[in-house]
Amino acid sequence: MTSALTEQLAGIVGAAHVITDGDVLDGRSIDHTGRYRGHAAALVRPGSTDEVAAVLRACRDAGVNVTVQGGRTSLVAGTVPEHDDVLLSTERLRDLGDVDVEERRVRVGAGVTLAEVQRAAAAAGLVFGVDLAARDSATVGGMASTNAGGLRTVCYGNMGEQVIGLDVVLPDGTVVHRHSQVRSDNTGYDLASLFVGAEGTLGVITALDLRLHPLPRHRVTAICGFADLDSLIATGRAFRDMEGIAALELIDARASALTAEHAGVAAPVDGAWQLLIELSGDTDLTDRLADALEDADLCGEPAVGVDTTAQQRLWQVREAVAEVLGVYGPPLKFDVSLPLSSIQEFATDAVALVAEHAPEAIPVLFGHIGEGNLHLNIVRFDLTGEDERALYSAMMTLIARHGGNVSSEHGVGTRKRDYLAMARTEADIATMRAVKAAFDPTGYLNRAVLFS
């Protein structure tokens, strides 16, 4: 990072938005979990798509690596710089357009948070299809880059299903505006989808057109307790394809115990496993919920919420889990997808594997059971260095042995790049590398992400 480049970047974005202070850069070079740390040379905060393009051209021409940062909520170290990078933050890309109620869409800057999109949609009587516990800090640009899923995926799909247009700056500084006002547009390559899930390796998303959905008039929420995981999975299997399903969330009793102790949020049902179910639609679905649970093997009666206050209280049982995971220090996180038929055996084997490597640790399992997307978090975890890598590698191998995918909704980032071959063939990886090389021949953009 030369003084000449610093001056050039200041000329593009303004001196106030080029930061080289060591303390600021240290804070920006650690991941959301607190486990992984890198090193950056500067933080640059462009305020427009054109400024992003100029910054990328300057850094490419100077041979300086760039790591893109949004809300920095990545759980796989996807925004941790490893090559004295320039950090390109999208936080100033804050435009939030008027909601088009007739077409159910809104155009937003990449730095707009999920919560802001949700509020704008709700004010127009609509709903945005993706919801995350990190809604107040996660930005829609980062969510699109990782194809985030979340709490409503079983109903609305992942982030990719919500993106109907975008602006993206390519590594050479070219700006692609891919927008259409028609719902059916099958002209040429679907370029927009290429950048969704690419984790910033092919370009920087600067603005998006997002699909919105009608707001359901009725919701009913329930938490059910189960003595064993197989019974919960059987019930989840019955609900996941049901008309009106809005959410289907797994919580284990270890997670509930943590939230009860440290967040004052106790589960309202007994059982080693809990299942949060939400149905939504234009009519009251309480009877449908009751009928579907009639033959379920429950531990006692479910807790049911039909009004907003009761529903929020039940949702807090699930969302409070994220708040308490760091109570014993940075947890070790695994975001995986598994066939429903493998989840019980995986859960048993994973607990045994953790006990073998870290007897004092507590494995906590929760996630989106409708998609088989689980978040295994190991808390009270003190292993570092080679010991941590040994457990991580063993867990990745266990996931693959049970037919799972090493990455589900959080992306690969830098943390899982060494395990890409467990989920993709050599031909797959070679093709992805070829696409990367076509867009970014020198590999300077998000160099540490996805590929070893």
Side-chain angles (χ1 to χ4, degrees):
M1 187 72 184
T2 64
S3 59
L5 179 57
T6 301
E7 291 176 5
Q8 185 179 3
L9 295 174
I12 296 169
V13 303
H17 301 297
V18 178
I19 300 168
T20 57
D21 179 84
D23 290 338
V24 174
L25 296 180
D26 283 347
R28 292 281 188 143
S29 298
I30 189 168
D31 82 311
H32 185 69
T33 70
R35 297 198 70 84
Y36 311 109
R37 183 179 292 277
H39 187 268
L43 168 67
V44 181
R45 305 186 301 173
S48 69
T49 294
D50 288 342
E51 289 185 3
V52 171
V55 168
L56 289 186
R57 283 193 293 268
C59 291
R60 181 201 58 175
D61 293 346
V64 173
N65 293 296
V66 172
T67 290
V68 185
Q69 294 189 335
R72 298 186 298 121
T73 58
S74 171
L75 300 178
V76 288
T79 62
V80 175
E82 293 187 359
H83 304 282
D84 288 334
D85 306 37
V86 167
L87 302 177
L88 190 159
S89 172
T90 62
E91 63 194 89
R92 293 179 62 218
L93 305 178
R94 303 274 305 147
D95 290 342
L96 179 54
D98 294 332
V99 172
D100 185 335
V101 177
E102 292 184 353
E103 294 297 329
R104 296 176 188 158
R105 61 193 293 165
V106 63
R107 183 170 296 188
V108 300
V112 174
T113 66
L114 169 59
E116 290 168 324
V117 174
Q118 291 174 329
R119 286 194 292 269
L126 299 170
V127 65
F128 183 57
V130 176
D131 192 19
L132 312 171
R135 60 184 68 86
D136 291 316
S137 50
T139 61
V140 291
M143 291 168 59
S145 292
T146 58
N147 196 19
L151 304 169
R152 306 287 181 182
T153 308
V154 70
C155 178
Y156 298 110
N158 280 27
M159 193 68 182
E161 280 72 51
Q162 323 308 321
V163 177
I164 52 180
L166 53 76
D167 292 341
V168 60
V169 182
L170 304 185
D172 67 356
T174 301
V175 179
V176 175
H177 302 280
R178 175 52 70 93
H179 302 276
S180 179
Q181 297 304 309
V182 297
R183 288 186 174 234
S184 180
D185 186 348
N186 196 27
T187 307
Y189 297 143
D190 185 5
L191 288 180
S193 66
L194 184 61
F195 298 97
V196 175
E199 301 187 50
T201 59
L202 304 181
V204 181
I205 296 173
T206 59
L208 307 96
D209 281 344
L210 299 176
R211 176 178 285 113
L212 303 177
H213 303 271
L215 182 67
R217 290 189 294 174
H218 297 275
R219 291 187 186 275
V220 58
T221 309
I223 291 184
C224 310
F226 295 84
D228 64 88
L229 189 51
D230 277 337
S231 296
L232 182 149
I233 292 169
T235 301
R237 196 188 300 272
F239 271 97
R240 67 175 179 172
D241 296 320
M242 181 181 295
E243 183 180 357
I245 187 67
L248 205 55
E249 295 291 303
L250 164 73
I251 315 159
D252 78 16
R254 288 179 292 262
S256 295
L258 285 175
T259 60
E261 181 178 357
H262 298 286
V265 180
V269 295
D270 295 324
W273 302 93
Q274 289 123 36
L275 179 65
L276 185 149
I277 305 165
E278 186 165 279
L279 301 179
S280 64
D282 290 333
T283 60
D284 188 349
L285 299 173
T286 306
D287 289 342
R288 181 183 298 178
L289 173 71
D291 290 344
L293 289 175
E294 186 173 356
D295 296 326
D297 188 11
L298 305 180
C299 289
E301 293 295 317
V304 179
V306 294
D307 62 82
T308 301
T309 301
Q311 290 165 3
Q312 290 175 342
R313 190 162 54 246
L314 294 180
W315 267 107
Q316 185 63 16
V317 174
R318 165 62 177 85
E319 295 198 347
V321 176
E323 300 174 12
V324 302
L325 288 177
V327 69
Y328 297 114
L332 187 64
K333 291 177 173 287
F334 299 89
D335 163 54
V336 303
S337 287
L338 290 158
L340 294 188
S341 58
S342 300
I343 289 177
Q344 170 67 81
E345 187 175 358
F346 167 77
T348 301
D349 291 348
V351 169
L353 182 63
V354 172
E356 176 185 342
H357 285 258
E360 300 301 316
I362 304 172
V364 174
L365 193 65
F366 62 98
H368 321 304
I369 195 66
E371 295 74 51
N373 175 200
L374 303 181
H375 303 310
L376 174 62
N377 287 257
I378 305 176
V379 302
R380 202 166 64 191
F381 181 78
D382 297 325
L383 299 184
T384 58
E386 288 301 321
D387 291 333
E388 177 188 333
R389 283 189 283 275
L391 173 56
Y392 203 96
S393 180
M395 190 64 73
M396 290 289 106
T397 301
L398 179 65
I399 292 163
R401 190 167 74 238
H402 284 290
N405 196 330
V406 299
S407 175
S408 182
E409 65 172 349
H410 293 162
V412 173
T414 66
R415 191 65 185 89
K416 295 185 176 183
R417 64 192 178 198
D418 292 339
Y419 307 100
L420 189 60
M422 289 184 175
R424 294 291 181 261
T425 66
E426 290 184 9
D428 285 335
I429 296 172
T431 302
M432 288 191 287
R433 286 185 178 277
V435 173
K436 169 67 171 173
F439 280 90
D440 183 14
T442 64
Y444 83 99
L445 185 60
N446 275 21
R447 180 182 291 276
V449 174
L450 194 59
F451 302 112
S452 298

